[in-house]
Amino acid sequence: MSLESKLYNLSLEFQEELIEIRRHLHMHPELSFKEYKTAEFIQSILDKWGIKYSKNWATTGIVGDIQSSHPSDRVVALRADMDALLIREDNNLAYCSMNDGIMHACGHDVHMTCLLGAIKLLHETKENWNGSVRFIFQPGEEKLPGGASILLKEKVLADPKVQFIIGQHVQPNMSVGNVGICSGKAMASCDEIYIRVIGKGGHAAMPHLAINPIVVASELILELNELLKNKLTPNIKAILSFGKVNTNGGATNIIPEELLIEGTFRCLDEDFRNSFHNEMQNKATSIALKYGAKIECNIERGYPCLMNNESLSQQFIETLTNFPGINEIEVLEPRMTSEDFSYYSQEIPAIFYRLGTGPSTNVHSSQFVVNEESIAKGAAVMAFLATQLKPIT
């Protein structure tokens, strides 16, 4: 029997156990860097299966290595994120979240379960593949600075050095049995923008004696959007969006002293990202001078652009073309959402692919659901990729 058939058949044998694991995780979600019970539960599963690991990575993370029966210098990593979101679940399920106001609304419960399934499959078939596989249960994907950045500082990819890393993410409204990949620039960087416009308050009937921060802010927002529009090319994709504008004081007859703006800048090119940061600062300075106001522009750097290695992406397609249970491999467009797996992709070759989980609202929704038939498929795919993809030389 081929390895792909063996892995797929075993995944179906383990399917009921994997669904039970997923439902437990779904019922007990925890927020970023507070995944204590989650970590304890994962450790209990690994202990039951006789899998060695180390704990307390970035507080709650778990890392281990599965050695095949055929040692080599081939080392690949598999990663799953652990944290949930501050969302109150609105589903009629027997296994809804029991932690009020917290929900696995981004599928991290599925990610952890698929990684656990892949670990079990690899352990059961270690006579049939070469090298070693490092598994990484990573906390804090949903919160800056991102658990990935902390794990990298803690040398999670060293000793022995990992040659490439694989990550998987649920994809609602992609058919169960389908997977998807975007080669190259796959997900955007994400920066948070906090702007404080300080003017001079006064009576609305005497605007000439005041410096209206609303007027200053309005011009700034328009000018920044126009600046970005003029900078974009067919090869550079970026988005600048402002979602919050609040004055400190003010009324129909009162010009306020200051105004606060919050927004996001997302980009698929790291060089352009850095240069546009400088241009935003310069534009804020020039408009402040024009009006005699003061503008404080704080750009909080978030996750970088996620790069799917082109060679690994092509291998992904070739490897899964005839894999049992996979009906279609979808070629996906870049996304302007962000993901801290991107930190790994900036360090070593990486692929981050999508697992079809069936009809649902989008992620980060209180009514997000998954078709649990996707879980065994996700575990088998992850395990097979770990054994078949070739390191980039």
Side-chain angles (χ1 to χ4, degrees):
M1 182 185 297
S2 66
L3 179 57
E4 55 261 52
S5 295
K6 189 171 185 177
L7 289 170
Y8 183 65
N9 290 340
L10 282 172
S11 74
L12 295 180
E13 289 180 23
F14 301 150
Q15 182 169 252
E16 185 175 337
E17 181 180 8
L18 292 178
I19 289 174
E20 289 178 3
I21 289 171
R22 184 260 166 165
R23 291 186 176 186
H24 176 94
L25 290 167
H26 190 83
M27 291 171 66
H28 302 91
E30 296 175 292
L31 296 176
S32 304
F33 302 109
K34 297 179 180 178
E35 308 94 335
Y36 300 107
K37 296 294 184 183
T38 301
E40 289 176 4
F41 178 70
I42 292 172
Q43 290 165 32
S44 72
I45 298 294
L46 295 174
D47 289 339
K48 183 174 71 173
W49 292 345
I51 307 292
K52 295 181 179 180
Y53 58 87
S54 59
K55 58 185 181 180
N56 301 327
W57 290 78
T59 305
T60 56
I62 301 164
V63 177
D65 293 289
I66 306 170
Q67 304 290 342
S68 76
S69 299
H70 308 284
S72 77
D73 59 0
R74 182 181 182 277
V75 184
V76 57
L78 302 176
R79 171 269 200 178
D81 36 19
M82 302 167 65
D83 52 334
L85 291 160
L86 200 62
I87 292 175
R88 178 170 286 104
E89 184 163 10
D90 184 21
N91 284 317
N92 185 23
L93 301 170
Y95 52 91
C96 279
S97 171
M98 297 178 66
N99 294 341
D100 188 43
I102 304 174
M103 177 188 175
H104 272 300
C106 198
H108 296 190
D109 52 338
V110 176
H111 302 167
M112 289 183 282
T113 306
C114 287
L115 179 52
L116 282 167
I119 290 168
K120 187 174 181 66
L121 293 172
L122 291 166
H123 184 65
E124 294 286 334
T125 61
K126 58 185 177 182
E127 295 286 343
N128 303 106
W129 52 277
N130 299 319
S132 64
V133 175
R134 178 161 302 165
F135 56 85
I136 302 170
F137 291 94
Q138 177 215 299
E141 188 278 325
E142 299 285 359
K143 183 178 181 180
L144 293 177
S149 68
I150 299 173
L151 288 185
L152 285 170
K153 291 177 182 177
E154 295 178 354
K155 308 297 183 184
V156 73
L157 300 180
D159 192 30
K161 183 178 180 180
V162 173
Q163 295 166 312
F164 62 93
I165 188 168
I166 300 168
Q168 175 181 266
H169 200 291
V170 297
Q171 184 59 49
N173 300 314
M174 178 185 286
S175 298
V176 173
N178 287 10
V179 291
I181 187 77
C182 174
S183 181
K185 298 173 181 178
M187 296 183 72
S189 61
C190 178
D191 303 313
E192 296 178 358
I193 303 170
Y194 300 93
I195 299 173
R196 183 183 180 207
V197 181
I198 304 169
K200 181 180 178 182
H203 199 294
M206 293 176 279
H208 58 290
L209 299 178
I211 300 173
N212 193 333
I214 298 175
V215 174
V216 179
S218 299
E219 181 164 335
L220 177 62
I221 290 172
L222 292 172
E223 287 285 330
L224 287 176
N225 277 281
E226 188 67 20
L227 177 66
L228 179 61
K229 178 182 175 182
N230 292 333
K231 293 287 182 180
L232 296 181
T233 70
N235 296 322
I236 295 178
K237 188 174 182 180
I239 290 173
L240 178 65
S241 295
F242 293 101
K244 187 175 182 180
V245 179
N246 286 335
T247 60
N248 184 6
T252 57
N253 61 345
I254 300 172
I255 294 172
E257 290 281 346
E258 66 177 46
L259 178 146
L260 303 176
I261 307 170
E262 296 181 12
T264 183
F265 174 61
R266 297 167 183 256
C267 184
L268 285 165
D269 185 287
E270 286 296 303
D271 290 335
F272 182 79
R273 176 194 189 190
N274 293 329
S275 66
F276 196 73
H277 283 190
N278 292 331
E279 297 202 40
M280 283 192 285
Q281 296 283 6
N282 293 337
K283 179 62 70 174
T285 299
S286 67
I287 290 178
L289 288 172
K290 176 181 176 180
Y291 284 96
K294 180 180 179 182
I295 299 178
E296 299 170 354
C297 183
N298 177 31
I299 302 172
E300 186 173 339
R301 292 182 70 90
Y303 305 154
C305 177
L306 193 154
M307 301 293 297
N308 272 335
N309 181 272
E310 293 183 3
S311 175
L312 289 176
S313 298
Q314 184 59 38
Q315 288 186 56
F316 173 89
I317 293 171
E318 294 169 355
T319 300
L320 296 181
T321 295
N322 296 310
F323 190 79
I326 296 302
N327 302 321
E328 182 181 350
I329 302 168
E330 301 185 21
V331 177
L332 305 177
E333 293 296 317
R335 304 165 65 95
M336 299 310 289
T337 52
S338 62
E339 157 70 56
D340 83 339
F341 186 86
S342 57
Y343 284 116
Y344 304 118
S345 78
Q346 296 286 329
E347 293 289 326
I348 60 172
I351 55 164
F352 191 72
Y353 64 93
R354 301 280 161 170
L355 174 71
T357 53
S360 175
T361 60
N362 208 345
V363 294
H364 291 220
S365 159
S366 64
Q367 295 181 325
F368 172 70
V369 294
V370 302
N371 183 329
E372 293 178 321
E373 291 182 4
S374 64
I375 294 172
K377 296 179 187 292
V381 164
M382 183 172 265
F384 192 57
L385 291 172
T387 67
Q388 299 300 303
L389 298 187
K390 297 177 177 61
I392 308 304
T393 56

